[in-house]
Each structure stands twice: as C-alpha cells, then as structure tokens.
Amino acid sequence: MSTEAVKVGLLGVGTVGGGVLKTIRLQQQKLSERLGRPVEIVKALVRDPGKKRTVELDHDLITTRFEEVLKSDVDIVVEVMGGVEPAYEYVRALIEKGCHIVTANKELLARHGTELIQLANRHQVQLAYEASVAGGIPILGVLRQFLRTNDISSVSGILNGTTNFILTQMEQAKLPYHEALKQAQELGYAEADPSSDVEGWDALYKSYILAQLVFGEALPLNQARRRGIDSLHLGQLTLAHELGYRIKLLAQATKAEGGVQLSVSPTLLPLDHPLAQVQGADNAVQVSGNIVGDLLFMGKGAGELPTASAVVEDLAYLLTQRFSPHPLWRERQGNHGVGKEGTWSFVYLESTGLQGTPEQILHFLNLGGVSIAKQRIQYDWANVLRIGVIARGFTDEHRAALQRDFGIQTDVFPVISRGEEQDILGAKGREVDGKEIHFGY
Amino acid sequence: MSTEAVKVGLLGVGTVGGGVLKTIRLQQQKLSERLGRPVEIVKALVRDPGKKRTVELDHDLITTRFEEVLKSDVDIVVEVMGGVEPAYEYVRALIEKGCHIVTANKELLARHGTELIQLANRHQVQLAYEASVAGGIPILGVLRQFLRTNDISSVSGILNGTTNFILTQMEQAKLPYHEALKQAQELGYAEADPSSDVEGWDALYKSYILAQLVFGEALPLNQARRRGIDSLHLGQLTLAHELGYRIKLLAQATKAEGGVQLSVSPTLLPLDHPLAQVQGADNAVQVSGNIVGDLLFMGKGAGELPTASAVVEDLAYLLTQRFSPHPLWRERQGNHGVGKEGTWSFVYLESTGLQGTPEQILHFLNLGGVSIAKQRIQYDWANVLRIGVIARGFTDEHRAALQRDFGIQTDVFPVISRGEEQDILGAKGREVDGKEIHFGY
Ligand SMILES: NC(=O)c1ccc[n+]([C@@H]2O[C@H](COP(=O)([O-])OP(=O)(O)OC[C@H]3O[C@@H](n4cnc5c(N)ncnc54)[C@H](OP(=O)(O)O)[C@@H]3O)[C@@H](O)[C@H]2O)c1
Ligand SMILES: NC(=O)c1ccc[n+]([C@@H]2O[C@H](COP(=O)([O-])OP(=O)(O)OC[C@H]3O[C@@H](n4cnc5c(N)ncnc54)[C@H](OP(=O)(O)O)[C@@H]3O)[C@@H](O)[C@H]2O)c1
C-alpha cells in the first residue's frame, strides 16, 4: 500500500467546510492510522478569496476557479458550498473524472440525486451524504443497518433546527412568529433569506432523501405535501398547548398502500411524545421497524463540528471500502394521503366579527357530522374569538359554511397520537368533553 | 463461493432465542441475499426439551447436551442462555473449535470479556455482542463509528428497563417500591428474582461493556459505585419532583483524570432533561463526543424482537466481514469520583422524632458550611418530617451530627444538571431560596 497522502479537494470553506478542516486537523492521527496514509487538503474553492475565515488555510490552496480543483488530481472532493447551481455541474464533472464525492447538500440530492447516483455508479465512484440529513446524528448509517434485518414502515422527525428554534421561542417567550424569526436571525440560527427553512423546503429535501434510502423511492418534490411555519400564529400554538399538544414542524416519510407518502407540516404532538421534547435547534428522527420497534435519535442537526463529524466519517469510511454500486433512486407518483378517514385533526377557528356564540358554532359542527374529541375557546382583549378543536370528519364544506354563516377563518393541522391516546379519543366518538371557556389571553 | 448454508447453533431458546428464530425465518430472503447463502439452524440447546415454546422447532434440532452442539459442525453460535456458568465454559469450548460467537449476555461479558476476547483473537474467531447493551438500540455500532472521528468523554443512560418501569410506576401511580415491583413481576417486566435488575448489577454490566468499548478500559466491577433502586422511598421521588427533578437509575461511564469512572445510582435529573422523559421499560443512551456534541438514542432496551434484531444483525455483519482482531479490554483500578468538589447533591433528611424544627435543621447545615440551592419540607399525617435539599459540601460529619443532634436519617443522591442550570445554582452560592413548607403528603 502506498503512503502517498489522500488528496482531498473542498468546494466551499464556510461553516461546514471550516469545520471539516478543523476536524481533519484535530483527528489527523486517528485518520491516518485508519486509512494507512495521511489526508491532505490540496485545493479549496471559495467565492471570495479575501474573506476572513475561522480556520487558517494556506493561501496557495485557495482558489476561485473550479477548473483548478478539477485538474489538481484529487482522490475525493467534499462539496460543502450549497445550492444547486453550480454545485450540480461541478459534482458531475468531478464524478466523470473518477473522483469520489462527499456532500452535505440536501437540496442538490433531492433535486438531482437520481441522476448523480446513476452517474456515480457508471463511473464507479462513491457518493456519500450522511451530513445532508440531521447533521451529526448518524441516521443514514443506522437506517442502512436496520434495513438489513427490518422492514421499515416510517421515518419521521424534526429535521430542521431553525424552525424548531423559532417554534420553541414562540412558545416559551410568547413571541409572535416574526419576532422569533428575527431573534433566530440575530443569533445565527436563521439566514437572511429564511425561506428554505420556514417554508419547509429544507425539511422536505431531507425527508425525500430518507424516503429514497429507506423505500428506494420517493414522490417528486412538487407532489409532496409541504407546509412551513411562516403562517403560524401564537394563538394556534397556545390553543394546541391547552389541548395537550405541542406544534412541531414534522417531516414524515411513510410507506402506505398507494406508495410512499412524504409530508412536511406543522403538526400537533401530544406533550409527552418524545418528539415534543425536542427543544431549540436540535433535531430528532424516529424510525419504526417491524423487528426493532420504535427508535428515536436526537442531537445537533447542524452546526460546524457536528456536521463536519458526519462529513469526515463519510470520507474515511468511503476510502476504506471497495466500490459497490449505490442502490438506484427513483421517483414515483404517489398517494398524498391527505385527510385519511378516521384520523383526528386540529381545527383552528378564528373570527373577529363574532357572528354567533361558540356554542352555536360547535353545535353547527356537531350537526354537520364532525366528531369533536376536545375543545378550547378563547376571547382576547380585542374581541377575537379563537376556537381550537380536535376533530374528525371536518371537510372543505364545513370550512366554506363557517366562513359564510359565521365569518370564521379556518385552519387545519394534522395531529399525531400515540397509540393509546388515539384509542381513547376514538372511543369517545362524537361526544363533546372539556367545555371550559377561557376569557382573556 | 459455496451455496452451502451457514450453520447456526443456538444456546437457549427462551425469550431472545425464540425471537432470533422468528427473525431469521421472517427475514430469510433478505438474509440469504446478503450473505450469498441461506442460514440454517442446526442445533438448539435447552434445559427442558418438553417445554412449550412460542416458536415451532423441529424436534431433532433440540438437545439438552452441549456436546451435540459442539460436534455438529456449526459456523457460528448464538449464546442466549444467560448466566455465567455454564455459558462461559460453553463459549470457550466453541471459540476453541473455531466457531464465531454472537451473545446477548452482558453478565458473561462483564465478568469474563477480557479473557474471551483474548481467546477469540487467538483463534481468529469473532465475538459480537450488540444485543448485550440496550437491546434494539444499535448503540455499540454507533459508538464504534463515532470513535473514529471523535474523542468520547462520557456514555451514560438508562440501561435497565425493569427498574425504569418500576420508577415510572412509583411516580405515576404513587406506588411504594414493593408494590411497583410486584406489578412489574406480574406484567413480565421483572423476574421472580429481581435482584440483578433492582440492585443495579444489570445496568453496571452494561456500562462496563460501554466503558471497555469506548475507553478501552474499565474498573473491576467490584470497584464501581453501584446502588440500586431497592431502598428508594416514594417520599424521595416526590420531594425530588417538587424540587424540579426526576429520579432515574442512571448508569455512567466517564473518562476522568484519574481514569475511567463507572457508576450506577438513582440520580436526580432535571425534569426537562431528555433522559428524564424516558418512561416505562424503554432505554436511552446519551453520548458526548468532542466533535459530534451530545447525542441521545432511545428505544426498546429489551424484549423478544428488538433484542433479536440486534443478534441477527450481528450475525449477518460478522459473516460478511473478514476477521480482524477485537481490541483488547483491560481492567484498571480507578478513581471512584465520589463527591467531586463543587457538585450538587440531593440530600434527603427524614425524622419521626421531630427533635428540632426544619428551620433549626437548615440553619445547622448552613452554619456547618453546606451550600443549599433549593429545599422542600414536608410533614405527613404520621408526623414524619421529610426535608429535601439540593446541597453542596454535605459530608459524613454532617450526617453523623444530624443523627446525633436531631435523630435524623440521611440519604444522599447525585444530581445531574444541564450546563445552564448548574451555573444558576452555582452562582447562588450559599444563599437559600424556595422556603415554601408543604404540610400534608
Ligand atoms: N451549516 C450547517 O450547519 C449545515 C448543516 C448540514 C448541512 N449543511 C449544508 O452544507 C452546505 C454548506 O453549508 P454552509 O453552512 O457551510 O454554507 P456557507 O457557510 O454559506 O459556506 C458556503 C461556502 O461555499 C462557498 N461558495 C458558495 N457558492 C460558491 C460558488 N458559486 N463558487 C465558489 N464558492 C462558493 C462560499 O465561499 P465564500 O466563503 O467565499 O463565500 C463558502 O465558503 C449546504 O449545502 C448546507 O445545506 C449545512
Ligand atoms: N429478555 C430480554 O429482553 C433480553 C434483552 C437483552 C439481553 N438479554 C440477555 O439474553 C440472554 C437470554 O435471555 P432470555 O430472556 O432469552 O432468557 P430465558 O428466556 O430465560 O431463556 C434462556 C434459555 O436458555 C436455556 N438455558 C438456560 N440455562 C441453560 C443450561 N444450563 N443448559 C441448557 N439450556 C439452558 C433455557 O432453556 P429452557 O427453555 O429449557 O428453560 C432457555 O431456553 C441473557 O443473557 C439475557 O441477559 C435478554
């Protein structure tokens, strides 16, 4: 075996790229023992060569021209620049040159993973992407392992730290959405343009990758159910909490009869549900397997070093394995699975006009065949009426009628129940309980 | 490659052994694809051949004589009989015959792992034991992976489902210890002789294995700090809860200056600590790495199928790997790490005689140089006085003086604080807050 160094190229020296450099330096000895040869960074691509960085980097290594990376004879390239273009073009060119790729770029994979995997297989290079989902939580590796002895039926979780931080702030400090977002931006948890996070795209990319890994297929991104947190009110969080739930941005990939379902949505979780305990910028992933049962993995889903840890582990693993083709990904039209019969939803009603009493409104729903398990009613100082109900059988017709007859705006969110709880609610059928009415807000 | 079946022997067809048979049958196809050949059970050792079992098993396969397993030319043996003898003797004989071993037996490993690993290395066979710690949670594999890029400073968790079930029952149903234990036995969560679980042995075996894996060394079992839950009162749980903590049987393996520390003890965790959320018979493991940060893994720590999942994954993995020597384990005298300076403890005081008011007692502690961060006081109907304090600097002299001057019995438990909280308490120094006194129980 040669003792020539492994030549590594970096695309990007930002948060994650800087962490990768630090980790490689910190663990240089462990790494070279494991690989039988040292690891050397030979080229690093950036946009602005003059930028001050948190890691020292020899000036000769830095370049702004991708061609220099391409011709510097690298064995493996770490893509941590982000975005789809030009990352896609660069990664293609590197694969075609026979270079292995480690990437943390979930958007790139969710948009072009199917092609990149085919290309990598054709050129017999490896493509590794543990860091793209849930940062330092080694979820892809663990899932690959479970798949060997289990049939996995669902993978769900809190996959976006930014939105979980915002929701935690809203709930704990009673902040409206925009103030919590501003705070997240000031603290560096959210970017100047937060749309990918708050609109649910980032979480969707990750659950797309999880679905491909676990089920070998996923819905095209534009067919998945995606709702972000950008239209959530504090009033919804508060009512949900009073009903015994916490609203989290839940990403789910589930195998169902009609195919794989993908969804990202603010979702009500019972307060004692393990995913409801995930606070701040942490991530958590829950896996259900037929043999192993339910498992939960929790940790830092982002950040310089946790993410770098996953990148460097991929890099080392990949260099110690022989090539074997990556299982193909495929996209398939699927079942949205919206509004499954018999599932409970959180129906949030809000009205400023007060055309009708809460009792009339609830009576109307009952007459219209909506089952109600729990309800909470609030008036605030500005005479806004808010009703939160855990309901079953609520349809678009009810929504239209409420708007027409009572001037009520409606919003509906999915509810996750733990087995037992679902049964209790289910058994109650159309009965109405918990009639407390709270005045003041 | 031959298409001859992999010949597997089973020592034990109880809970786990039955699950292994079921899992191998259920996943037969996946397994043979992965291994390139089918898996066949050729011999199964039991004590009572006539016993009714939950799996069907060809009568010819069953034996009560170990020699029949030994001479049946097996490639690999799954040891799921439990106990140290005769399991130790059997496993040695099998290794010496060149047979790979998969075991779920934590006691065997904690008592004889060092020798078994040496023997296995010498005979170039593999020894796998994922199922021995935390059942279906693939914690050993994940730790091995993290070790490659991280320095791990501690591994701790709730490693015994039986005691966690009992503690959950005590807390939720306000049951005294012995009734909760009885319930656990009736529900099959605890054995007729529960001593290994409730005295903390089982959790200690597991943290010993974790320490060996992560640090390459552990304390001899008899030098570790071990306290079970068998002397816990409901009053202690209740006062701890009022102070903002939940008592869990926490197992910890930590790397410290003086060497590796191992401890199992009922420990106070802040109510919002992730490990405090672990209810019922679940297990959870928390890992701290210098790169990856803190991670938590939660799931079923025992049970037929989750445990079998780990056994079968070990079996398949081992058959697809080339032999490489297992890192040696070693035992080393170490630092008990009891009563580290500056850490807070839960000091529980109980008296039936009432020689002195709570104020006098707390004043006495203050004068004696004990810092108190929080306190709760309770009298019950039988005039028992209970005081719970979160204190620093409490020593055996205080204990003796309290007994002598006030007739008070004392019990001390470790407290885990999340970083922030520790600071807040620390900043308060010797100040006393939270003076509420609760009458009635
Ligand atoms: N941040 C996290 O915690 C985290 C966690 C998991 C996954 N990820 C993923 O990791 C990737 C990188 O994230 P990051 O937070 O490290 O991003 P970042 O801090 O913005 O860094 C991006 C780096 O790429 C360089 N770059 C960007 N576009 C370029 C272009 N067109 N040509 C040349 N260089 C370019 C930038 O150069 P300059 O420095 O000169 O601007 C910068 O060094 C993304 O795909 C992200 O989704 C991030
Ligand atoms: N149960 C769990 O969830 C779990 C989880 C993790 C690890 N483990 C570990 O897995 C191992 C097995 O546990 P288990 O719950 O499956 O035990 P179990 O139900 O008591 O089964 C033990 C099996 O071994 C056989 N056996 C015991 N001593 C024997 C002897 N001297 N000669 C021949 N056969 C003997 C028994 O035979 P008969 O059937 O004829 O009595 C029985 O089939 C233990 O080391 C345990 O710590 C268990």
Side-chain angles (χ1 to χ4, degrees):
Chain A
M1 189 189 259
S2 100
T3 54
E4 220 180 282
V6 180
K7 290 185 184 158
V8 177
L10 269 183
L11 306 184
V13 189
T15 306
V16 182
V20 169
L21 282 174
K22 286 180 197 168
T23 305
I24 288 180
R25 283 173 194 165
L26 211 62
Q27 308 295 73
Q28 180 75 45
Q29 198 186 335
K30 269 194 188 183
L31 266 174
S32 35
E33 275 169 22
R34 181 164 165 210
L35 300 176
R37 47 190 183 143
V39 169
E40 193 193 338
I41 308 286
V42 295
K43 224 34 157 193
L45 182 76
V46 299
R47 225 169 351 202
D48 173 3
K51 201 188 239 178
K52 221 177 133 44
R53 302 183 190 275
T54 62
V55 279
E56 279 183 39
L57 192 55
D58 193 338
H59 210 79
D60 293 353
L61 298 184
I62 292 190
T63 180
T64 57
R65 297 177 358 116
F66 172 66
E67 294 67 35
E68 292 206 18
V69 181
L70 199 62
K71 72 181 189 207
S72 63
D73 202 22
V74 286
D75 301 305
I76 184 165
V77 163
V78 173
E79 187 277 298
V80 282
M81 56 190 282
V84 172
E85 288 297 351
Y88 179 46
E89 188 194 322
Y90 293 175
V91 168
R92 285 191 70 99
L94 288 160
I95 291 176
E96 281 165 359
K97 261 205 100 182
C99 177
H100 300 301
I101 305 287
V102 179
T103 179
N105 192 335
K106 48 254 171 185
E107 185 174 5
L108 175 65
L109 289 165
R111 299 206 180 275
H112 294 294
T114 45
E115 302 102 273
L116 288 176
I117 284 168
Q118 284 177 344
L119 194 68
N121 284 348
R122 197 161 347 118
H123 291 271
Q124 308 220 347
V125 302
Q126 300 189 70
L127 180 65
Y129 45 91
E130 178 68 73
S132 68
V133 181
I137 307 176
I139 187 67
L140 304 188
V142 167
L143 286 172
R144 280 205 186 87
Q145 184 187 314
F146 282 143
L147 279 172
R148 301 203 188 110
T149 32
N150 279 266
D151 293 327
I152 292 176
S153 56
S154 84
V155 187
S156 57
I158 294 172
L159 299 178
N160 181 273
T162 304
T163 47
N164 203 57
F165 179 85
I166 292 172
L167 291 177
T168 304
Q169 281 306 98
M170 286 175 74
E171 211 187 321
Q172 291 183 348
K174 300 266 168 264
L175 292 182
Y177 168 72
H178 281 100
E179 283 183 37
L181 169 61
K182 223 179 85 196
Q183 215 173 80
Q185 286 171 321
E186 284 162 9
L187 291 168
Y189 286 117
E191 297 182 41
D193 174 4
S195 50
S196 171
D197 292 323
V198 301
E199 291 173 7
W201 283 108
D202 179 81
L204 180 61
Y205 299 147
K206 291 165 179 167
S207 50
Y208 176 98
I209 295 170
L210 290 172
Q212 290 286 12
L213 185 92
V214 167
F215 306 122
E217 68 178 66
L219 286 180
L221 288 175
N222 60 11
Q223 284 184 28
R225 190 149 58 117
R226 176 185 53 79
R227 178 175 179 179
I229 63 161
D230 44 341
S231 64
L232 274 188
H233 311 311
L234 190 50
Q236 293 164 338
L237 266 67
T238 312
L239 272 177
H241 199 276
E242 288 191 9
L243 288 163
Y245 301 86
R246 189 166 281 144
I247 299 186
K248 292 289 188 187
L249 187 67
L250 191 72
Q252 295 181 275
T254 319
K255 184 101 179 190
E257 295 239 331
V260 170
Q261 291 178 12
L262 276 188
S263 74
V264 172
S265 173
T267 301
L268 277 74
L269 298 163
L271 287 173
D272 64 349
H273 191 289
L275 290 176
Q277 317 301 334
V278 180
Q279 299 291 312
D282 274 5
N283 279 21
V285 189
Q286 193 168 33
V287 180
S288 302
N290 63 336
I291 311 279
V292 79
D294 285 355
L295 284 164
L296 184 83
F297 303 88
M298 203 188 289
K300 300 233 174 343
E304 184 187 22
L305 290 182
T307 313
S309 167
V311 168
V312 175
E313 171 54 24
D314 263 357
L315 184 143
Y317 181 75
L318 182 161
L319 289 166
T320 53
Q321 293 301 107
R322 259 175 307 162
F323 171 79
S324 71
H326 192 296
L328 292 182
W329 286 8
R330 64 173 181 165
E331 290 195 351
R332 216 164 73 125
Q333 317 296 325
N335 186 340
H336 274 229
V338 191
K340 242 192 292 165
E341 271 299 315
T343 59
W344 294 91
S345 302
F346 173 57
V347 180
Y348 175 82
L349 310 171
E350 189 177 304
S351 144
T352 32
L354 281 187
Q355 307 162 30
T357 67
E359 287 69 22
Q360 286 173 323
I361 295 163
L362 291 166
H363 189 62
F364 166 85
L365 290 176
N366 251 287
L367 282 184
V370 178
S371 309
I372 295 181
K374 298 196 219 173
Q375 64 193 55
R376 281 293 179 282
I377 298 165
Q378 288 187 334
Y379 292 100
D380 76 1
W381 47 269
N383 246 359
V384 178
L385 168 66
R386 297 189 174 86
I387 305 180
V389 293
I390 303 297
R392 196 159 62 174
F394 186 88
T395 64
D396 281 346
E397 282 97 75
H398 297 114
R399 186 197 290 263
L402 283 170
Q403 168 68 50
R404 187 184 59 228
D405 298 350
F406 297 96
I408 282 181
Q409 299 293 332
T410 312
D411 213 342
V412 180
F413 299 88
V415 173
I416 299 284
S417 293
R418 296 176 125 171
E420 332 89 70
E421 205 181 30
Q422 185 83 9
D423 287 338
I424 297 165
L425 298 179
K428 281 197 184 150
R430 294 182 50 181
E431 229 177 274
V432 179
D433 75 337
K435 292 225 175 170
E436 301 113 88
I437 299 188
H438 297 259
F439 291 86
Y441 188 46
Chain B
M1 187 187 263
S2 100
T3 53
E4 219 180 280
V6 180
K7 290 186 184 158
V8 178
L10 270 182
L11 305 185
V13 189
T15 306
V16 181
V20 168
L21 282 174
K22 286 180 197 169
T23 305
I24 288 179
R25 282 173 194 165
L26 210 62
Q27 308 294 72
Q28 180 76 44
Q29 198 186 336
K30 270 193 187 185
L31 266 174
S32 33
E33 276 169 23
R34 181 165 166 210
L35 300 176
R37 47 190 183 141
V39 169
E40 192 192 339
I41 308 286
V42 296
K43 222 46 166 178
L45 181 77
V46 297
R47 225 171 350 205
D48 172 4
K51 202 189 240 180
K52 218 177 135 44
R53 305 186 187 273
T54 63
V55 280
E56 279 183 38
L57 194 57
D58 192 340
H59 210 81
D60 292 353
L61 300 183
I62 292 189
T63 179
T64 56
R65 297 177 359 114
F66 172 67
E67 295 65 37
E68 292 207 17
V69 181
L70 200 62
K71 72 179 188 209
S72 63
D73 202 22
V74 286
D75 301 304
I76 184 164
V77 163
V78 173
E79 186 276 296
V80 282
M81 57 190 281
V84 172
E85 287 298 351
Y88 179 47
E89 188 196 323
Y90 293 175
V91 168
R92 286 192 68 101
L94 288 160
I95 291 176
E96 282 165 357
K97 260 206 101 184
C99 177
H100 300 300
I101 305 286
V102 178
T103 178
N105 191 335
K106 47 255 170 184
E107 183 172 7
L108 176 65
L109 289 165
R111 299 205 180 275
H112 294 293
T114 46
E115 302 101 272
L116 288 176
I117 285 169
Q118 284 177 344
L119 193 68
N121 284 348
R122 197 162 347 120
H123 291 272
Q124 308 220 350
V125 303
Q126 300 188 70
L127 180 66
Y129 46 90
E130 179 67 74
S132 68
V133 181
I137 306 177
I139 188 65
L140 304 188
V142 166
L143 286 172
R144 281 204 184 89
Q145 183 186 315
F146 283 143
L147 279 173
R148 303 204 187 111
T149 34
N150 279 266
D151 293 329
I152 292 176
S153 56
S154 84
V155 187
S156 58
I158 295 171
L159 300 178
N160 181 274
T162 304
T163 48
N164 203 57
F165 179 85
I166 292 173
L167 291 177
T168 305
Q169 280 307 97
M170 287 174 74
E171 212 188 319
Q172 290 182 351
K174 300 266 169 265
L175 292 182
Y177 168 73
H178 280 101
E179 283 184 36
L181 169 61
K182 222 179 85 196
Q183 216 173 80
Q185 286 170 322
E186 283 162 8
L187 292 167
Y189 287 116
E191 297 181 41
D193 173 3
S195 50
S196 172
D197 292 322
V198 302
E199 292 173 7
W201 283 108
D202 179 80
L204 181 62
Y205 300 146
K206 292 167 180 167
S207 50
Y208 175 98
I209 295 170
L210 289 173
Q212 289 285 12
L213 185 91
V214 167
F215 306 121
E217 67 177 67
L219 287 179
L221 288 175
N222 60 10
Q223 285 184 28
R225 190 150 57 118
R226 177 186 51 80
R227 177 174 178 179
I229 63 161
D230 44 340
S231 65
L232 274 188
H233 310 312
L234 190 50
Q236 294 164 336
L237 266 66
T238 311
L239 272 177
H241 200 275
E242 288 192 8
L243 288 163
Y245 301 86
R246 189 166 281 143
I247 299 185
K248 292 290 188 186
L249 187 66
L250 191 72
Q252 295 182 275
T254 318
K255 184 101 178 188
E257 295 239 332
V260 170
Q261 291 177 12
L262 275 189
S263 75
V264 171
S265 173
T267 301
L268 277 73
L269 298 163
L271 287 173
D272 64 350
H273 191 289
L275 290 176
Q277 316 303 331
V278 180
Q279 301 289 314
D282 274 4
N283 278 21
V285 189
Q286 192 168 33
V287 180
S288 300
N290 63 336
I291 311 278
V292 78
D294 284 357
L295 284 164
L296 184 84
F297 303 88
M298 202 188 287
K300 301 234 174 342
E304 184 187 22
L305 289 182
T307 313
S309 169
V311 168
V312 175
E313 172 54 25
D314 263 358
L315 184 144
Y317 180 76
L318 185 160
L319 288 168
T320 54
Q321 293 302 106
R322 257 174 308 162
F323 170 78
S324 70
H326 192 296
L328 293 182
W329 285 8
R330 64 174 180 164
E331 289 196 350
R332 216 164 74 125
Q333 316 296 324
N335 185 340
H336 274 229
V338 190
K340 241 194 296 167
E341 270 298 315
T343 60
W344 295 91
S345 301
F346 173 56
V347 180
Y348 174 84
L349 311 170
E350 188 177 306
S351 145
T352 32
L354 280 189
Q355 307 163 31
T357 67
E359 287 70 21
Q360 286 172 324
I361 295 164
L362 291 166
H363 187 63
F364 166 85
L365 290 176
N366 250 287
L367 282 183
V370 178
S371 309
I372 295 181
K374 298 196 220 172
Q375 64 191 55
R376 281 291 180 286
I377 298 166
Q378 288 187 334
Y379 294 100
D380 77 1
W381 48 266
N383 246 0
V384 178
L385 168 65
R386 297 190 174 88
I387 306 180
V389 293
I390 304 297
R392 195 159 63 174
F394 186 89
T395 65
D396 280 346
E397 281 97 75
H398 297 114
R399 186 197 291 263
L402 282 170
Q403 169 70 50
R404 186 185 60 228
D405 298 351
F406 298 95
I408 281 181
Q409 299 294 331
T410 311
D411 214 341
V412 181
F413 300 88
V415 173
I416 298 283
S417 293
R418 297 176 121 170
E420 330 90 71
E421 204 183 32
Q422 184 82 8
D423 288 336
I424 297 167
L425 298 180
K428 281 198 184 150
R430 294 182 48 182
E431 230 177 273
V432 179
D433 74 338
K435 293 225 174 167
E436 301 111 88
I437 298 188
H438 297 257
F439 291 87
Y441 187 47

